[in-house]
């Protein structure tokens, strides 16, 4: 998201200013061009020399330093594609909300047309002050992206809301929200399933599969990047994704019930979970014990077919996308499943290779749609593939 972008980081006088070093470093690692401006009070918490070394540029601290003919704040304002204020004190928030430009950072911001993101960090009582609440609302109305402070241990010695989120979290949220501004699925509600279901045998054992849930989570991120409202129904608790409502389930039956509850108001359903086709006919109340030297015979019954049910119940305005993990005759089985399940799109992948598919970070997929040639995408990481899938879904909607 930030690769080759000109990013200005404005640091203000909060004790959390020390996190600006990591924040700048992450942007540089993402191949952004980074410059830093600091308020006078920020320099009480972290030196300009540190941020100059990390960014590779001199830090802007004074409008009147030097004797050049350069109008420094205008030049920097024109240069910036994106401006982050990290961390943002109540004082800085008040200045920006009321159009004050009395130092190098505020003058630069006022002159810039860049995308602007602000991450408040302060004591919880200050954060709840009506003036601060009002000023943050003003900035949001002016087009700023406001990163909500985190709950955590504050400098005052107790836990409350007001802590600056970790730099990785700030960048992840900002990237999603910036992408969403031009997303092709804005206003759409998408329900996505992820992970392998678990079918209990007894209180300690279950039947499952090798699904990691990585593809489902990648799809959820790609969907919110496109501006969609996303519900992720999942059996695995992976990373938190900004803008995604997570619903935890375990069995196929529980997943089916969650899907049926969410689908009526959804525009799009994407079944990326590896759903168990079968479950034990009975659940043992106690742990199953060995009986002599003999084996164990299990009677299995079919689980609800979530994709088929959704395909049958969809309205003309709803889109259904399924996944199929196969080990042989991938395209043929996929085409048959596409028709049988009444899906609008089916993503098939060959999980027989250990380098792609289940648990891996990469995949190779083939996209099937009715009456269209199969489209195979080359091996890529799952988020890249998820973005490609979302692009194609957007053309169907």
């Amino acid at each position: 998201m930030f690769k080759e972008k000109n990013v200005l980081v404005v640091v203000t006088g909060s004790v959390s200013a020390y996190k600006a070093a990591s924040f700048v470093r992450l942007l540089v690692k993402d191949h952004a061009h980074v410059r830093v401006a600091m308020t006078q009070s920020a320099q009480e918490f972290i030196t300009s020399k540190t941020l100059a070394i990390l960014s590779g540029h001199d830090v802007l601290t004074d409008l009147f330093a030097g004797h050049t003919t350069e109008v420094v704040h205008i030049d920097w304002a024109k240069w910036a594609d994106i401006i982050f204020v990290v961390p943002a004190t109540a004082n800085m928030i008040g200045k920006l909300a009321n159009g004050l430009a009395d130092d190098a950072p505020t003058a630069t911001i006022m002159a810039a047309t860049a995308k602007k993101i602000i991450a408040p960090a302060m004591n919880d009582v200050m954060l709840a002050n009506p003036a601060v609440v009002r000023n943050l609302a003003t900035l949001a109305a002016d087009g700023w992206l406001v990163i909500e402070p985190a709950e955590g241990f504050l400098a005052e010695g107790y836990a409350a809301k007001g802590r600056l989120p970790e730099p990785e979290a700030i960048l992840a949220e900002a990237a999603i929200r910036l992408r969403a501004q031009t997303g092709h699925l804005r206003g759409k509600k998408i329900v996505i399933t992820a992970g392998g279901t678990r079918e209990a045998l007894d209180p300690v054992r279950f039947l499952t599969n090798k699904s990691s849930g990585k593809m489902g989570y990648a799809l959820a991120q790609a969907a919110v990047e496109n501006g969609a409202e996303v519900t992720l129904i999942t059996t695995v608790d992976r990373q938190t994704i900004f803008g995604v409502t997570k619903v935890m389930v375990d069995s196929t039956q529980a997943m089916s019930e969650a899907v049926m509850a969410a689908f009526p108001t959804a525009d799009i359903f994407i079944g990326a979970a590896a759903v168990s086709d079968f479950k034990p006919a009975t659940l043992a109340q106690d742990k199953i014990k060995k009986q002599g030297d003999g084996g164990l015979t299990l009677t299995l019954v079919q689980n609800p077919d979530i994709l088929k049910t959704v395909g049958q119940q969809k309205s003309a305005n709803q889109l259904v996308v399924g996944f199929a993990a196969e080990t042989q005759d991938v395209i043929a089985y996929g085409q048959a499943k596409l028709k049988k399940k009444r899906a609008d799109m089916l993503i098939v992948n060959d999980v027989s290779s250990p380098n792609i598919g289940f648990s891996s970070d990469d995949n190779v997929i083939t996209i099937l749609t009715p009456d269209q040639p199969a489209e195979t995408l080359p091996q890529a990481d799952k988020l890249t593939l998820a973005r490609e899938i979302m692009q194609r879904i957007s053309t169907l909607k």
Side-chain angles (χ1 to χ4, degrees):
M1 176 67 210
F2 304 106
K3 184 177 181 179
E4 301 302 328
K5 298 291 186 181
N6 295 335
V7 181
L8 173 60
V9 179
V10 175
V11 185
T12 72
S14 163
V15 68
S16 59
Y18 73 91
K19 292 185 179 181
S22 296
F23 189 76
V24 168
R25 184 62 178 154
L26 286 172
L27 283 167
V28 171
K29 288 177 68 175
D30 201 23
H31 303 288
H33 308 296
V34 185
R35 295 183 185 179
V36 179
M38 300 178 71
T39 64
Q40 184 176 354
S41 57
Q43 297 170 68
E44 298 293 327
F45 295 96
I46 184 172
T47 67
S48 61
K49 185 68 172 177
T50 297
L51 296 177
I53 292 171
L54 291 173
S55 66
H57 295 279
D58 290 337
V59 173
L60 179 61
T61 59
D62 187 348
L63 282 176
F64 307 106
H67 301 282
T68 69
T69 58
E70 178 186 25
V71 184
V72 64
H73 66 290
I74 300 299
D75 288 343
W76 279 47
K78 290 180 178 179
W79 172 86
D81 298 313
I82 301 169
I83 296 176
F84 282 95
V85 182
V86 179
T89 60
N91 183 58
M92 175 60 79
I93 292 166
K95 285 183 178 183
L96 296 175
N98 291 281
L100 301 182
D102 62 354
D103 63 3
T106 53
T108 303
I109 291 170
M110 289 299 162
T113 58
K115 300 286 186 181
K116 300 180 181 72
I117 303 101
I118 192 164
M122 65 194 75
N123 173 268
D124 59 312
V125 180
M126 294 178 69
L127 183 64
N129 186 286
V132 175
V133 173
R134 183 170 60 250
N135 288 334
L136 285 172
T138 297
L139 290 177
D142 288 345
W144 284 76
L145 298 183
V146 179
I147 307 292
E148 281 290 315
E151 299 269 355
F153 197 72
L154 304 180
E156 293 79 6
Y158 60 89
K161 185 176 181 179
R163 182 181 176 87
L164 184 71
E166 294 306 309
E168 294 86 352
I170 295 172
L171 285 175
E173 178 178 336
I176 286 173
R177 295 175 67 182
L178 288 171
R179 287 178 182 272
Q181 290 179 340
T182 56
H184 299 296
L185 295 170
R186 283 172 291 172
K188 300 296 184 183
K189 294 183 178 180
I190 302 182
V191 175
I192 301 172
T193 62
T197 56
R198 296 181 173 189
E199 310 302 331
L201 287 170
D202 61 24
V204 298
R205 301 183 181 93
F206 53 82
L207 301 176
T208 190
N209 55 63
K210 296 180 179 180
S211 175
S212 63
K214 291 179 180 179
M215 193 69 221
Y217 273 75
L219 287 162
Q221 179 172 332
V224 290
E225 288 177 350
N226 271 277
E229 179 183 331
V230 178
T231 298
L232 178 64
I233 301 170
T234 175
T235 62
V236 289
D237 192 8
R238 302 185 67 84
Q239 77 276 18
T240 297
I241 303 171
F242 176 81
V244 174
T245 299
K246 191 184 301 184
V247 178
M248 296 299 303
V249 296
D250 52 7
S251 66
T252 300
Q253 183 61 44
M255 180 173 284
S256 177
E257 291 171 1
V259 168
M260 293 306 118
F263 182 63
T265 59
D267 298 291
I268 303 167
F269 170 77
I270 305 175
V275 178
S276 298
D277 294 327
F278 298 94
K279 65 180 179 180
T282 59
L283 172 62
Q285 296 302 307
D286 299 306
K287 179 181 176 182
I288 300 172
K289 302 291 186 181
K290 290 190 292 185
Q291 301 293 330
D293 296 326
L296 175 66
T297 300
L298 295 175
T299 301
L300 305 179
V301 296
Q302 285 195 25
N303 261 320
D305 190 326
I306 298 174
L307 183 59
K308 183 178 180 180
T309 302
V310 168
Q312 291 173 340
Q313 293 185 2
K314 69 177 180 179
S315 69
N317 296 322
Q318 290 177 305
L319 192 71
V320 173
V321 179
F323 272 70
E326 303 291 349
T327 58
Q328 59 180 340
D329 297 328
V330 173
I331 304 300
Y333 280 120
Q335 292 284 11
K337 187 172 183 178
L338 175 70
K339 183 177 181 180
K340 181 180 179 182
K341 310 290 183 167
R342 295 188 61 197
D344 300 287
M345 178 184 291
L346 196 79
I347 315 299
V348 295
N349 62 298
D350 186 344
V351 295
S352 62
S353 171
N355 299 321
I356 57 174
F358 286 146
S359 298
S360 68
D361 293 326
D362 288 3
N363 208 347
V364 175
I365 62 171
T366 298
I367 301 175
L368 305 177
T369 51
D371 304 319
Q372 295 295 325
E375 180 187 10
T376 299
L377 301 184
Q379 182 171 336
D381 66 87
K382 289 180 177 178
L383 181 56
T384 296
L385 292 174
R387 288 169 176 159
E388 291 289 338
I389 292 168
M390 287 300 159
Q391 190 277 327
R392 285 153 179 78
I393 287 174
S394 69
T395 64
L396 299 179
K397 288 299 292 182

